[in-house]
Amino acid sequence: MNVQSLMAVGVMVFQLGLSVSPAQTEQVRESSSSCEWCHAQLGDRLAQVVQAFRNDAHRRHGFGCATCHGGDPTLGWDGLASAAMDPRKGYIGVPKGKEVVRLCARCHSSIEYMRGEKPGLPTDQEKLYYTSVHGKRLLAGDLRVAICSSCHRAHGILPAGDPGSSVYPANVASTCGSCHGSKEYMAAYNIPTDQVEEWSGSVHGEALLKKHDLGAPTCNDCHGNHGAVPPGVTHISRVCGQCHPAEDEYFQKSPHRAAYERLGVPQCEVCHGNHGVQAPSEKMIGVSEGAVCAACHGSGSVGYTAALRIREGLDSLRTLTDQLDTLADRAQRAGAYVENVRFRLQEAKTSLKKARSLVHTFDPVQVLAETKVGLGSAHKAADELSALNRELRRRRIGLTGFLILIVAGITLLLVEIRRLDRGKGPR
């Protein structure tokens, strides 16, 4: 039985004089809406919408049932629900498909209206929606695609910044996954259904879900909120550059860009994947097992040699900074003042980060130039650490000599005391 059928049955029951508790009647009468009064008595799904709407953001702006569904909620208190649900009063029932989009856009696409109610919200959602896959399929007659209410809910809509909202950053993947994670629902579209699972285990998903980093990207950050791609992005492969601008700039100037275009392959996704992006590491670079370079560049090729040199440069700097970090910790525990060493090491680590970004130029000359700068800082740190260790050794020798003198002094004192005791003898 669909919602409209349930409503019809409910109305019939209501009109036959179903008794309502005074408490219920009083509670719903506070809304001055016969719609809420009637739905609250029907129970289950029809009553749930009333409960959900009580906390809806639109209600806080003065919206009622009739704002979207039409009709006259001032009528029907006498038992004639059909008076409130009269099409002549604009009643449209439960809207579907394009009707929902048009209904939401009636306010959300009005600059004048939104300026007065919620000036911070954009007014181009409807226009962008129809540029998306969802919108295009809806226009083609597919009523199973996502519309406004699919993501924002029909009732109980909350601002996107509210943790209870279905479009709050931490909830977006779950909202999208309600359709895209369902093999049964997505079967007709022949697209994967493991995107949410992959994203949840990615460096982005873990940052958002486990570390509660609301700046970490989720579905809409890459695919757009209402449109096909985020504003200003000409291709989905360029989305990564919004958060990783240096890497994107290097890549766009690299020979790989033209090669990828010739091959008709995406950009960042070739090496990093799309939904299951993992934290990058040196293991991805070079020609050893697990390195992405080796997937395309065979032994003896220019690319193979370049990958090998880049990996060696990064390894040399990272290995030295890791070793010096350990030695600096040990010196600090021994009482040395290592702040200058830490400063030099930080310079070396900054160069390592720059060199890792420069990997996206795929130019060993540029990468090795930066690792050379880092190695220079690391060697200065090593020199300062050696000087501190020499100073620690001098201190230890001095302290040991001082302790020996103290022990010798105490021993002599004890000997003298015993000698004096023996000289006194018994009287």
Side-chain angles (χ1 to χ4, degrees):
M1 184 177 291
N2 59 30
V3 174
Q4 288 177 314
S5 299
L6 284 169
M7 290 176 66
V9 171
V11 170
M12 290 174 62
V13 172
F14 176 69
Q15 289 177 333
L16 288 172
L18 179 67
S19 62
V20 181
S21 72
Q24 284 179 308
T25 302
E26 188 60 33
Q27 182 184 21
V28 182
R29 270 189 181 280
E30 292 176 0
S31 70
S32 301
S33 168
S34 62
C35 311
E36 294 187 26
W37 180 48
C38 183
H39 273 256
Q41 299 166 72
L42 296 175
D44 295 334
R45 294 172 57 192
L46 295 177
Q48 287 171 9
V49 298
V50 176
Q51 188 63 36
F53 188 65
R54 285 178 182 153
N55 194 37
D56 194 294
H58 296 87
R59 185 183 179 112
R60 300 172 206 165
H61 286 264
F63 281 46
C65 308
T67 309
C68 298
H69 297 282
D72 188 347
T74 65
L75 304 177
W77 294 100
D78 55 359
L80 293 175
S82 58
M85 301 164 64
D86 189 344
R88 291 172 297 179
K89 297 282 186 179
Y91 180 73
I92 62 170
V94 180
K96 293 181 179 178
K98 286 186 285 187
E99 293 174 345
V100 173
V101 180
R102 191 182 309 121
L103 197 59
C104 299
R106 199 174 57 184
C107 295
H108 283 276
S109 291
S110 170
I111 296 174
E112 293 77 14
Y113 180 80
M114 296 306 297
R115 185 182 295 151
E117 291 294 329
K118 199 74 175 177
L121 283 183
T123 55
D124 58 355
Q125 298 98 325
E126 181 190 20
K127 181 179 177 182
L128 288 172
Y129 171 75
Y130 282 117
T131 68
S132 72
V133 173
H134 295 142
K136 290 175 181 175
R137 293 193 69 91
L138 180 64
L139 288 174
D142 185 354
L143 295 180
R144 299 176 74 248
V145 296
I147 54 176
C148 313
S149 54
S150 307
C151 303
H152 295 277
R153 300 174 183 163
H155 304 91
I157 299 170
L158 298 174
D162 190 314
S165 169
S166 55
V167 293
Y168 183 70
N171 302 329
V172 167
S174 176
T175 297
C176 298
S178 63
C179 292
H180 285 276
S182 170
K183 292 181 180 178
E184 181 182 0
Y185 195 83
M186 301 306 294
Y189 301 102
N190 192 31
I191 58 176
T193 54
D194 58 355
Q195 299 97 325
V196 174
E197 183 181 353
E198 283 196 9
W199 174 85
S200 299
S202 73
V203 64
H204 298 140
E206 290 191 355
L208 181 57
L209 300 178
K210 295 182 179 178
K211 299 177 183 177
H212 308 293
D213 178 2
L214 297 182
T218 183
C219 312
N220 61 312
D221 292 298
C222 297
H223 295 279
N225 292 314
H226 303 97
V229 291
V233 175
T234 56
H235 191 278
I236 195 71
S237 290
R238 299 301 309 280
V239 173
C240 309
Q242 292 191 135
C243 297
H244 305 282
E247 290 78 3
D248 180 60
E249 183 178 347
Y250 292 142
F251 180 87
Q252 298 307 321
K253 296 176 181 176
S254 77
H256 279 70
R257 178 188 176 180
Y260 284 13
E261 285 180 353
R262 282 197 305 273
L263 295 171
V265 297
Q267 299 180 356
C268 312
E269 300 99 303
V270 171
C271 299
H272 296 279
N274 45 19
H275 299 104
V277 176
Q278 297 300 308
S281 72
E282 271 80 43
K283 293 180 180 177
M284 296 177 63
I285 306 161
V287 295
S288 56
E289 184 178 357
V292 294
C293 312
C296 297
H297 299 287
S299 177
S301 67
V302 175
Y304 185 94
T305 305
L308 197 60
R309 291 178 62 197
I310 290 173
R311 173 65 183 272
E312 288 174 350
L314 293 174
D315 279 348
S316 63
L317 180 54
R318 179 183 49 76
T319 303
L320 183 57
T321 53
D322 287 349
Q323 290 173 346
L324 291 173
D325 249 341
T326 302
L327 293 174
D329 289 343
R330 191 180 301 168
Q332 187 172 21
R333 287 196 297 272
Y337 183 74
V338 296
E339 287 307 305
N340 288 338
V341 175
R342 299 280 191 206
F343 179 74
R344 296 294 185 191
L345 277 176
Q346 189 54 50
E347 286 182 335
K349 291 175 184 177
T350 300
S351 286
L352 183 58
K353 287 182 180 177
K354 289 181 179 177
R356 285 169 173 163
S357 292
L358 285 166
V359 167
H360 298 85
T361 64
F362 308 100
D363 180 1
V365 175
Q366 294 189 56
V367 176
L368 295 180
E370 190 58 46
T371 57
K372 185 178 179 181
V373 173
L375 286 169
S377 298
H379 286 139
K380 288 179 182 176
D383 291 341
E384 294 194 22
L385 201 53
S386 296
L388 288 174
N389 285 329
R390 286 195 296 274
E391 178 62 24
L392 282 174
R393 281 196 292 274
R394 283 196 293 271
R395 287 183 192 175
R396 288 194 191 100
I397 293 172
L399 181 60
T400 303
F402 182 67
L403 289 174
I404 290 173
L405 287 175
I406 291 176
V407 171
I410 293 173
T411 303
L412 289 173
L413 184 60
L414 290 173
V415 170
E416 182 61 19
I417 291 172
R418 293 187 65 181
R419 188 185 67 77
L420 290 174
D421 286 345
R422 284 198 297 270
K424 289 179 182 177
R427 291 183 178 179

